[in-house]
Amino acid sequence: MAEFLGKRPRPQGEARKTEWRKLKKERKEEKKKWRELKMIKKLEKQRAQEEAEKQKEEAEETQQQAKGRTYTLSVALPGSILNNAQSLELRTYLAGQIARACAIFCVDEIVVFDEEGEDVKSVEGEFVGIGKKGQASVQLARILQYLECPQYLRKAFFPKHQDLQFAGLLNPLDSPHHVRQEEVLEYREGIVLHRPTRPGRGSFVNCGMKKEVQIDKNLEPGLRVTVRLDQQQIPESKSLKGRVVSSQEPRTHAGLYWGYSVRLASCLSAVFAEGPFKDGYDLTIGTSERGEDLASVQLPNFNHAIVVFGGLQGLEASVEADPNLEVTDPSVLFDFYLNTCPGQGSRTIRTEEAILISLATLRPPIIAAGAPRPD
């Protein structure tokens, strides 16, 4: 009957154990292959996510660079223009006018040069002769630096000084880096605090907010730094997180105007010889009523441009007072020697007026030409 129904006899003893071990081994190998396949898929997914995040970051960086500004604009003028003011109050107001004009037109560097043989290169020390002639370049540079500095940092960097006696009455620059306490901005200026930190942690920085910012580096206390705040912050944390970046990054990456630097030069030739850029200024413009009409010229592409203004006697007096120059015609020193206000109705244009007029006139062609020169 069993043969008729086709029933197979069950394996007995060792044969049954061998078959069970084989089946168990096959199942184990299948599970192993399944785990490996699952792990491979997980790794592929993780790599895809990392690649997507990397591409997103690169796209964001490219977008930021696209809206950033790569070129710089500098202005040079003699400090002796303050000597035309009859009191310290008027000197201070004149310096404030220059600072406001440069901030409005996004000037990145102001060079104050000496045409009277004072040969000063620092704003340290006391100003001699309040409201009188003497060290005008130092006083002008000091007031320009004071106005550029964000308000919450001024007490740290500018102790009481007679040059700044009336600086608090001047109109503020209100530049993008003069950030309010509650204002949300990726970048901020700050001062490194004298505060202990844990090993491997960065310094704390006062950036004018309710919370201090802990940066990614350990720096010397008292330094002024530009900080980029991390996008992801922990609300419960006692401090914010950020990293120190170049002071140029807000301009080059985010397209923000981030104030100007101030440099003292001992004479007109030192304006060019002591410049901060490796290859110097590749576009130099002198301004004079004897210059060429701006409408007749076309500015070339450039990386770093500088516009130079003369004092009461014009650039001719600056050239004559410079011991390093043998020329008498200032036009030979510049790529372009321009008259930015042809047909003027006054015999003279004051330097603070010339800055406003010239930068307003030059702004469109400078923006159009403000790209790197082709190699």
Side-chain angles (χ1 to χ4, degrees), residues 13 57 90 105 117 133 172 198 241 263 273 284:
E57 288 176 2
L90 291 175
F105 292 103
K133 292 184 179 181
R198 294 178 182 177
K241 298 295 181 184
R263 176 165 64 92
T284 58

Side-chain angles (χ1 to χ4, degrees), residues 1-278:
M1 187 69 180
E3 291 178 2
F4 178 75
L5 292 174
K7 289 184 178 180
R8 290 180 299 178
R10 294 181 179 179
Q12 300 292 326
E14 290 298 324
R16 187 174 180 181
K17 286 182 181 180
T18 305
E19 188 175 340
W20 171 248
R21 286 173 185 168
K22 187 178 178 182
L23 183 63
K24 189 176 180 181
K25 187 178 180 181
E26 289 176 354
R27 287 180 179 177
K28 192 174 181 180
E29 289 177 354
E30 285 179 4
K31 283 183 179 180
K32 187 178 179 181
K33 288 180 181 178
W34 180 80
R35 281 197 300 267
E36 289 177 352
L37 186 62
K38 189 177 179 181
M39 184 63 71
I40 291 170
K41 287 182 178 179
K42 187 177 179 181
L43 288 172
E44 287 177 351
K45 187 178 180 182
Q46 188 177 349
R47 286 173 186 169
Q49 287 177 348
E50 289 176 355
E51 189 68 26
E53 288 176 2
K54 187 178 179 181
Q55 289 177 356
K56 185 180 179 182
E57 288 176 2
E58 289 176 353
E60 288 176 355
E61 188 175 351
T62 304
Q63 187 178 4
Q64 282 185 332
Q65 288 177 348
K67 68 178 181 180
R69 174 166 62 89
T70 56
Y71 70 88
T72 65
L73 174 62
S74 301
V75 161
L77 70 159
S80 61
I81 62 171
L82 290 194
N83 291 333
N84 199 37
Q86 287 76 27
S87 66
L88 181 59
E89 294 95 321
L90 291 175
R91 278 176 172 245
T92 305
Y93 185 73
L94 176 56
Q97 285 181 296
I98 293 169
R100 284 281 303 171
C102 291
I104 288 169
F105 292 103
C106 301
V107 172
D108 303 296
E109 179 195 31
I110 303 177
V111 187
V112 182
F113 64 90
D114 173 38
E115 61 176 8
E116 296 187 341
E118 292 175 355
D119 193 20
V120 288
K121 296 185 179 181
S122 172
V123 295
E124 300 298 326
E126 297 296 322
F127 165 67
V128 180
I130 298 179
K132 300 177 183 179
K133 292 184 179 181
Q135 295 192 359
S137 297
V138 176
Q139 186 183 17
L140 176 57
R142 184 180 278 118
I143 296 173
L144 292 174
Q145 287 179 338
Y146 176 85
L147 290 174
E148 186 277 335
C149 184
Q151 287 87 338
Y152 57 87
L153 297 178
R154 287 177 180 171
K155 284 186 178 179
F157 292 109
F158 294 92
K160 285 187 178 181
H161 195 283
Q162 51 193 355
D163 285 357
L164 304 174
Q165 184 177 348
F166 299 101
L169 303 176
L170 294 175
N171 297 320
L173 299 189
D174 205 21
S175 296
H177 67 301
H178 290 200
V179 191
R180 277 77 169 175
Q181 187 180 66
E182 302 296 336
E183 192 175 348
V184 178
L185 192 67
E186 184 180 6
Y187 298 96
R188 277 184 176 262
E189 290 291 290
I191 180 172
V192 180
L193 300 175
H194 195 285
R195 180 176 162 185
T197 58
R198 294 178 182 177
R201 300 288 184 89
S203 303
F204 287 95
V205 177
N206 173 21
C207 290
M209 296 184 289
K210 291 181 179 179
K211 293 182 179 181
E212 295 169 355
V213 180
Q214 189 167 30
I215 55 176
D216 57 327
K217 296 179 181 177
N218 224 318
L219 300 177
E220 184 181 348
L223 288 177
R224 177 176 168 177
V225 292
T226 303
V227 176
R228 185 179 67 203
L229 298 173
D230 293 349
Q231 292 184 352
Q232 301 296 330
Q233 300 285 351
I234 303 174
E236 298 81 13
S237 177
K238 293 182 180 179
S239 62
L240 301 174
K241 298 295 181 184
R243 57 180 61 247
V244 175
V245 297
S246 166
S247 59
Q248 309 300 318
E249 186 173 308
R251 169 179 59 84
T252 58
H253 283 69
L256 295 170
Y257 174 60
W258 212 244
Y260 53 76
S261 62
V262 181
R263 176 165 64 92
L264 280 166
S266 58
C267 54
L268 179 58
S269 58
V271 171
F272 308 103
E274 300 171 359
F277 308 110
K278 183 179 178 182

Side-chain angles (χ1 to χ4, degrees), residues 77 81 84 94 97-98 101 105 287 309-310 312 340-341 344-361:
L77 70 159
I81 62 171
N84 199 37
L94 176 56
Q97 285 181 296
I98 293 169
F105 292 103
T287 58
F309 298 89
L312 299 175
T340 56
C341 187
Q344 62 193 59
S346 173
R347 290 189 183 93
T348 57
I349 295 179
R350 299 171 64 88
T351 304
E352 65 272 21
E353 297 167 342
I355 292 174
L356 278 169
I357 294 168
S358 300
L359 294 182
T361 308

